[in-house]
Amino acid sequence: MQTAGAEVQLDVSIAVFDDGAITVERVDLPDRSAGEIDVAISAAAICGSDLHTVLGHRSAPARTALGHEAVGRVADLDDGTTDFRGTPLRRGDRVVFSMLSECGSCDRCRAGLTMKCRSLLKYGHESVTTPPHATGTLAEQVRLLPSVPVLRVPDDVADVQVVSAGCAVATAAAVVAAAGTPPPGTRILVLGVGAVGAYCAAMFATLGCAVQVRDPSPERLALAAQLGAQPADSDGEPFSVVVEASGSSSAVLEALNAADVGGHVVAAGSVSLGSSTVTIDPALLVTRRLRVTGLHNYTAENFRWGVDWLVAHGRHLGLERLVSPPFPLSAVDEAFQLMKDGRYPRVLVRPDGHGDPA
């Protein structure tokens, strides 16, 4: 770290969205503040919400630093820094991190709604013009605030297996927690096999649940089968837990109809307010005694559980199937075009010159 008073410490490339266009900008970062951690990105993934930002489906500040899923190595930090488990962190350690920075002290944080903190900062959704500036992971480097949970990961788990830890994996872990971590044999239906739905299906399958999935894409149904789930049958048998992970308004109604008496619907797919509506008969909720849980973002504990699950299962499940071949950061616009095509749940981006094929 440079001495106090230095004007510029780092000059890093960051993918920036502004005025309808994606460019890779060189951004001068000021001296790192106490408690912040600089992480050199090894690999990042384009998420559906990144695509929604670029397509104008959600509001975004001027010069948004894009990306919030990544794995990398610690480039700079304070002596004595530890990760979320309390393990000492050092330069060169391989890490993943949450996309959320919460205050921990507002009324929502005190009530356990940290993911809805009143001063929440979300990586991949902030401007490069406001501190800490390097808040996008489609970049050479990201700067983490002291409140961002960070976890070390072993070197023998490939980048493609842990790259989505900070969003899709942690969100899926939050879904599992919201469903009460169902016991083996529980009948579960997952609607939508994007990244979140795929991870939900895989997680429930590793818990021994009987997981079925629905998705209009035969390729994604085949992917889910490789992760331990089966295409939903047509026998009409209801499910104890239904996860709506597609964001489709019709799927929300389908989820309610598929839930058994006393069943639980976890709705995690519809994240864009005003983009769709659904008409339901409230008697469906009342007479079936259904529980409906809306889920958006996740807690630090969800993030930790998700990373532990990745380390335990990532080597064996073939999670690389969820990720495209890598694009260099300089071709990030092309990477977004592939994400728009929908062929892969996640599109991988690496800093230019990064030769690690893992």
Side-chain angles (χ1 to χ4, degrees), residues 33-52:
S33 297
E36 294 178 342
I37 301 174
D38 284 344
V39 175
I41 299 298
S42 302
I46 297 176
C47 170
S49 62
D50 296 315
L51 183 62
H52 291 162

Side-chain angles (χ1 to χ4, degrees), residues 250-270:
S250 62
V252 173
L253 186 57
E254 183 179 359
L256 295 173
N257 280 298
D260 201 355
V261 171
H264 191 174
V265 174
V266 182
S270 300

Side-chain angles (χ1 to χ4, degrees), residues 160-196:
V160 291
Q161 294 166 349
V162 296
V163 69
S164 292
C167 181
V169 172
T171 301
V175 169
V176 172
T181 313
T186 303
R187 279 175 53 84
I188 292 178
L189 175 64
V190 178
L191 301 173
V193 190
V196 171

Side-chain angles (χ1 to χ4, degrees), residues 151-304:
L151 286 171
R152 290 179 58 191
V153 290
D155 287 343
D156 63 345
V157 182
D159 282 352
V160 291
Q161 294 166 349
V162 296
V163 69
S164 292
C167 181
V169 172
T171 301
V175 169
V176 172
T181 313
T186 303
R187 279 175 53 84
I188 292 178
L189 175 64
V190 178
L191 301 173
V193 190
V196 171
Y199 281 115
C200 285
M203 288 176 180
F204 283 124
T206 59
L207 293 173
C209 299
V211 185
Q212 296 185 26
V213 295
R214 287 182 186 153
D215 193 286
S217 166
E219 292 79 12
R220 294 199 175 189
L221 290 177
L223 171 62
Q226 293 171 327
L227 298 175
Q230 297 300 318
D233 53 43
S234 56
D235 60 11
E237 287 295 315
F239 296 84
S240 298
V241 176
V242 183
V243 178
E244 199 299 289
S246 73
S248 163
S249 57
S250 62
V252 173
L253 186 57
E254 183 179 359
L256 295 173
N257 280 298
D260 201 355
V261 171
H264 191 174
V265 174
V266 182
S270 300
V271 296
S272 298
L273 289 172
S275 64
S276 62
T277 59
V278 60
T279 301
I280 65 169
D281 182 349
L284 186 64
L285 304 176
V286 174
T287 61
R288 290 196 186 178
R289 297 183 65 91
L290 298 182
R291 286 179 294 156
V292 179
T293 300
L295 189 142
H296 185 228
N297 298 339
Y298 54 84
T299 67
E301 183 57 30
N302 298 146
F303 170 66
R304 183 204 60 77

Side-chain angles (χ1 to χ4, degrees), residues 32-226:
R32 182 181 60 80
S33 297
E36 294 178 342
I37 301 174
D38 284 344
V39 175
I41 299 298
S42 302
I46 297 176
C47 170
S49 62
D50 296 315
L51 183 62
H52 291 162
T53 295
V54 168
L55 294 177
H57 297 167
R58 61 188 300 160
S59 61
R63 298 180 64 200
T64 298
L66 293 168
H68 52 268
E69 291 188 348
V71 55
R73 293 190 180 273
V74 175
D76 194 26
L77 77 174
D78 294 343
D79 292 340
T81 300
T82 60
D83 75 357
F84 185 63
R85 295 189 183 92
T87 304
L89 277 179
R90 299 177 178 86
R91 290 170 183 82
D93 282 347
R94 189 161 177 257
V95 295
V96 291
F97 44 89
S98 169
M99 65 178 285
L100 306 174
S101 171
E102 309 111 2
C103 74
S105 59
C106 71
D107 57 333
R108 292 179 182 173
C109 285
R110 293 195 306 271
L113 292 170
T114 55
M115 79 297 291
K116 292 297 176 181
C117 171
R118 292 193 181 276
S119 56
L120 187 72
L121 183 146
K122 294 183 70 172
Y123 279 71
H125 300 78
E126 308 294 334
S127 175
V128 293
T129 63
T130 56
H133 307 289
T135 54
T137 59
L138 297 172
E140 292 177 329
Q141 186 157 301
V142 66
R143 176 162 288 174
L144 305 180
L145 294 169
S147 55
V148 174
V150 180
L151 286 171
R152 290 179 58 191
V153 290
D155 287 343
D156 63 345
V157 182
D159 282 352
V160 291
Q161 294 166 349
V162 296
V163 69
S164 292
C167 181
V169 172
T171 301
V175 169
V176 172
T181 313
T186 303
R187 279 175 53 84
I188 292 178
L189 175 64
V190 178
L191 301 173
V193 190
V196 171
Y199 281 115
C200 285
M203 288 176 180
F204 283 124
T206 59
L207 293 173
C209 299
V211 185
Q212 296 185 26
V213 295
R214 287 182 186 153
D215 193 286
S217 166
E219 292 79 12
R220 294 199 175 189
L221 290 177
L223 171 62
Q226 293 171 327

